[in-house]
Amino acid sequence: MSSPSIQSVLQQMQTLNSQVGGSTERGRQVDTTVGRSGFAEEMHNSIERINQLQHKAASQIKAFEAGQPDVALNDVMVDMQKAGLAFQMGVQVRNRLVNAYKEIMNMQV
């Protein structure tokens, strides 16, 4: 995917985000900007966010199973879905990166 098409997709996502009233997660504004840190660091940060979502879902499950009164079933289910979707997205990004790498490696000089 070229840089202009990435920028176009990012612009479309930001437009959709503003149409639905902004991204919020439990009252907080979610940061959707990409810093100037570099590709490897952004990938590492993304993997860390996926890992955090999975840990949060696991702790919610354990808390619900333990019968804690402040943990509702719907919160547990939402956290599980968030973690599952984030993991699936991470796998798809990895697959596309591997395919792009293979395509670049097969290019002739």
Side-chain angles (χ1 to χ4, degrees):
M1 200 177 241
S2 67
S3 181
S5 60
I6 291 173
Q7 292 297 329
S8 172
V9 169
L10 182 60
Q11 181 63 34
Q12 289 174 355
M13 290 171 64
Q14 289 171 343
T15 302
L16 289 172
N17 181 30
S18 65
Q19 288 175 353
V20 295
S23 295
T24 58
E25 183 178 320
R26 299 210 184 238
R28 296 186 314 226
Q29 186 69 23
V30 177
D31 184 18
T32 58
T33 59
V34 177
R36 304 215 184 269
S37 56
F39 182 77
E41 189 172 335
E42 288 300 324
M43 283 298 297
H44 182 268
N45 292 340
S46 296
I47 293 170
E48 284 296 318
R49 285 190 297 267
I50 292 169
N51 190 34
Q52 289 172 359
L53 285 171
Q54 289 179 333
H55 283 292
K56 181 181 177 188
S59 67
Q60 287 281 79
I61 292 169
K62 288 178 184 176
F64 183 76
E65 288 174 346
Q68 291 184 1
D70 60 335
V71 179
L73 178 61
N74 60 329
D75 291 334
V76 174
M77 297 302 291
V78 168
D79 286 341
M80 287 174 49
Q81 288 297 315
K82 283 182 185 179
L85 287 172
F87 182 76
Q88 289 174 5
M89 181 207 55
V91 169
Q92 291 299 320
V93 168
R94 185 218 45 194
N95 292 343
R96 298 236 174 148
L97 287 172
V98 168
N99 287 338
Y101 177 78
K102 287 179 181 178
E103 189 174 317
I104 289 171
M105 294 308 291
N106 289 331
M107 287 182 174
Q108 293 183 1
V109 178

